[in-house]
């Protein structure tokens, strides 16, 4: 009932298409759930039907790739960037819900103890909520914000939240602390994938991601009042944790996994106290395998790619697509596709990409005949269309984020690679050696006639 703004419709779709593996045996949230998700990284979504010490089920590895995220939005992978851009240009305001599914069960005494939160990696010191979209409001303006941040459990009521200092949630917490107050938060688990994707958008301070989520959903997000904090929360989610964070109180965190797949030691996290856990009757706890894993990578990558497309198009209008690669964990390595670039435009696109997102460390520019999401073809262009002494540019001492593995004092050397074809580079020209177009067309028909269904490699 009222499940259309939770992860349930997508889980059902995965089940129907054979992309959901149900695990009936009892699994332990301590390392075992994480080990299963880690192994299934390129495999199906997992639904753990029996979890040690808890009546709740756990689901993970859901939005692990472009195809899955596109399917969750009901569109094709090639449409994602345009759709995300439209959600920023044409946001849809949330509305009041007519149901309170996420508040069917309420736990106030030990809100965190009621959840089977996994411990993921060997050197991490505690269980982490990794799929929590944290809602908060700017203490200065009242405007909302939604973003992912890890919540590390300390006991049944308290936790630490690990937030990069430049993220808006950290800014709001500091603004509240400056007024001598903690900041109300709601950690939302298992909301519709559109809400999760929107939470990864890089918008201006005061631009509320829930309005973009409505646009991505094609319908307003349905909200209800939280029970113990001054926030409105998605009525259709699986679980909501209500609490407060205090930027004046910090807790040592120790080693944590980062998107590049290694550990980081950022120092202290922000202290949080939780006053209530509300959930659906038969709630499913969504978890995202953190670190260098596909769900973590692609949820971040697609909003970054759309943002870069938007930023680059302002100065290089013939940009066609932007990919943020899996090798760069969906954050640091970017491929820009230009249509018939004029001399100098590739370099301009490289500068624009660096200017738009500080995390970006390498930008490769390719022509329209190269699919930027295909790493082998992008590498082919690098190998065959570049004169390194001319087309490889290094930018030493460039500003970056604390998460960059090679940063020193906030700086790293960045690289731009112009892998577009320059016709004058080869006396023989740059034409690809292929059978004639007419021969290819008739061969396609001949092979299609031999097959029951047209496979992807045979589609035009
Ligand atoms: C699965 C997932 C987990 C994330 N975890 C964290 C985290 O623990 N801390 C953090 O600062 N950012 C984390 N992020 C990134 C932020 O959610 C993201 O950059 C967001 O756009 C920041 O929001 P803001 O622009 O409103 O500040 C995570 C992203 C994803 C997809």
């Amino acid at each position: 009932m009222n499940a259309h703004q939770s992860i349930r419709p997508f889980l059902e779709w995965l089940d129907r298409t054979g992309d959901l593996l149900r695990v009936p045996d009892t699994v332990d949230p301590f390392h075992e759930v994480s080990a299963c998700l880690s192994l299934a990284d390129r495999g199906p979504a997992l639904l753990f039907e029996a979890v040690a010490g808890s009546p709740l089920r756990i689901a993970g590895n859901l939005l692990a790739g472009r195809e899955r995220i596109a399917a969750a939005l009901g569109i094709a992978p090639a449409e994602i960037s345009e759709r995300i851009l439209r959600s920023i240009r044409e946001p849809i305001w949330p509305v009041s819900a007519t149901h309170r599914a996420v508040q069917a069960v309420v736990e106030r005494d030990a809100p965190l103890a009621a959840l089977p939160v996994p411990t993921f990696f060997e050197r991490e010191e505690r269980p982490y909520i990794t799929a929590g979209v944290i809602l908060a409001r700017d203490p200065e303006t009242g405007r909302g914000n939604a973003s992912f941040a890890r919540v590390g459990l300390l006991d049944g009521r308290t936790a630490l939240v690990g937030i990069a200092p430049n993220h808006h949630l950290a800014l709001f917490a500091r603004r509240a602390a400056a007024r001598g107050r903690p900041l109300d938060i709601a950690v939302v688990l298992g909301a519709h994938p559109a809400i999760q994707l929107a939470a990864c958008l890089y918008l201006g301070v005061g631009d509320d991601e829930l309005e973009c989520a409505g646009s991505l959903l094609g319908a307003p997000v349905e909200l209800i009042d939280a029970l113990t904090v001054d926030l409105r929360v998605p009525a259709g989610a699986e679980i909501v944790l209500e609490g407060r964070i205090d930027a004046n109180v910090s807790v040592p965190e120790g080693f944590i996994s980062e998107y590049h797949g290694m550990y980081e030691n950022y120092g202290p996290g922000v202290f949080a106290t939780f006053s209530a856990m509300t959930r659906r009757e038969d709630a499913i706890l969504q978890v995202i395998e953190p670190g260098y894993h596909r769900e973590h990578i692609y949820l971040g990558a697609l909003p970054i790619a759309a943002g870069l497309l938007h930023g680059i198009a302002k100065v290089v209008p013939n940009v066609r697509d932007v990919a943020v690669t899996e090798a760069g964990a969906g954050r640091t390595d970017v491929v820009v596709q230009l249509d018939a670039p004029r001399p100098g435009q590739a370099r301009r696109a490289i500068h624009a990409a660096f200017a738009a997102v500080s995390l970006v460390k390498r930008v490769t520019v390719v022509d329209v005949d190269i699919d930027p999401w295909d790493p082998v073809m992008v590498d082919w262009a690098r190998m065959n269309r570049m004169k390194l002494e001319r087309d490889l540019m290094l930018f030493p001492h460039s500003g970056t984020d604390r998460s960059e593995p090679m940063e020193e004092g906030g700086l790293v050397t960045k690289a731009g690679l112009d892998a577009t074809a320059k016709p004058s580079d080869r006396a023989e020209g740059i034409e690809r050696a292929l059978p004639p177009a007419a021969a290819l067309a008739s061969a396609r028909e001949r092979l299609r006639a031999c097959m029951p269904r047209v496979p992807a490699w045979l589609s035009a």
Side-chain angles (χ1 to χ4, degrees), residues 412-425:
V412 76
T413 297
K414 303 195 173 190
L417 291 83
D418 176 0
T420 58
K422 294 94 185 165
S424 57
D425 275 354

Side-chain angles (χ1 to χ4, degrees), residues 130-131 145-151 162-169 196 198-203 209 288 295-297 299-300 331 402:
T130 55
N145 189 73
S147 59
F148 279 96
R150 64 188 176 280
V151 180
I163 323 163
N166 57 326
H167 287 171
H168 297 162
L169 181 61
Q196 299 188 37
C200 300
L201 288 170
Y202 282 79
L203 305 176
E209 286 85 0
I288 293 178
E295 189 165 26
H296 189 197
I297 289 172
L299 266 173
R331 313 288 192 274
R402 67 175 186 171

Side-chain angles (χ1 to χ4, degrees), residues 3 20 22 30 95 113 126 149 170 199 223 289 314 346 390 439 447 450:
L20 179 75
R22 291 170 180 273
F30 185 75
V95 293
R126 57 188 68 79
L223 299 178
E289 185 75 355
K314 285 185 193 159
R390 180 192 61 195
L447 295 179
C450 308

Side-chain angles (χ1 to χ4, degrees), residues 168-439:
H168 297 162
L169 181 61
L171 174 71
F172 292 0
R174 289 194 297 269
R175 283 182 176 170
R179 291 169 152 71
R181 289 202 304 261
L183 181 77
D184 285 1
I185 58 165
V187 182
V188 179
L189 288 148
H192 191 282
I195 297 174
Q196 299 188 37
L197 195 62
C200 300
L201 288 170
Y202 282 79
L203 305 176
V205 180
D207 295 331
D208 190 345
E209 286 85 0
L210 284 188
E211 295 167 11
C212 302
S215 182
L216 281 174
L217 258 168
V221 175
E222 296 173 359
L223 299 178
I224 48 173
D225 288 339
L227 301 179
T228 61
V229 293
D230 185 18
L231 289 168
R232 288 167 66 70
V233 298
E238 293 291 319
I239 299 167
V240 170
L241 285 160
E242 301 178 5
R244 291 174 180 84
I245 54 178
D246 190 341
N248 284 329
V249 186
S250 58
V251 187
E253 184 165 30
F255 275 39
I256 55 118
S257 59
E258 193 44 283
Y259 57 76
H260 45 61
M262 297 174 278
Y263 291 104
E264 291 284 355
N265 189 352
Y266 290 135
V270 176
F271 184 69
T273 310
F274 287 91
S275 43
M277 186 275 291
T278 76
R279 65 167 171 88
R280 286 174 172 271
E281 198 78 55
D282 58 344
I284 300 170
L285 174 68
Q286 187 190 349
V287 304
I288 293 178
E289 185 75 355
Y292 188 71
H293 288 96
R294 280 169 66 83
E295 189 165 26
H296 189 197
I297 289 172
Y298 280 96
L299 266 173
L302 301 183
I304 291 176
L308 286 166
L309 182 60
H310 182 62
I312 296 169
K314 285 185 193 159
V315 287
V316 185
N318 45 331
V319 58
R320 287 291 164 268
D321 199 1
V322 173
V324 185
T325 75
E326 206 171 305
R331 313 288 192 274
T332 53
D333 184 36
V334 168
V335 183
V336 179
Q337 187 194 48
L338 299 185
D339 187 2
R342 292 190 307 282
Q345 274 194 316
R347 282 178 189 239
R348 208 140 185 241
I350 289 167
H351 289 298
F354 288 139
V357 177
S358 67
L359 271 171
V360 174
K361 180 180 179 181
R362 180 174 74 160
V363 182
T364 304
V365 185
V366 297
D367 295 295
V368 274
D369 62 334
I370 303 292
D371 175 0
W373 293 98
D374 180 341
V376 176
M377 284 316 294
V378 171
D379 228 18
W380 181 91
R382 289 190 193 109
M383 295 308 295
N384 298 299
R385 291 181 171 174
M386 288 181 67
K387 288 189 174 173
L388 288 172
E389 75 282 9
R390 180 192 61 195
D391 297 325
L392 169 66
M393 290 145 265
L394 293 181
F395 305 98
H397 312 302
S398 303
T400 186
D401 285 27
R402 67 175 186 171
S403 56
E404 160 57 46
M406 293 292 125
E407 66 87 29
E408 252 187 285
L411 304 176
V412 76
T413 297
K414 303 195 173 190
L417 291 83
D418 176 0
T420 58
K422 294 94 185 165
S424 57
D425 275 354
R426 288 170 41 83
E428 305 84 350
I430 54 166
E431 185 188 341
R432 301 283 289 275
L434 292 169

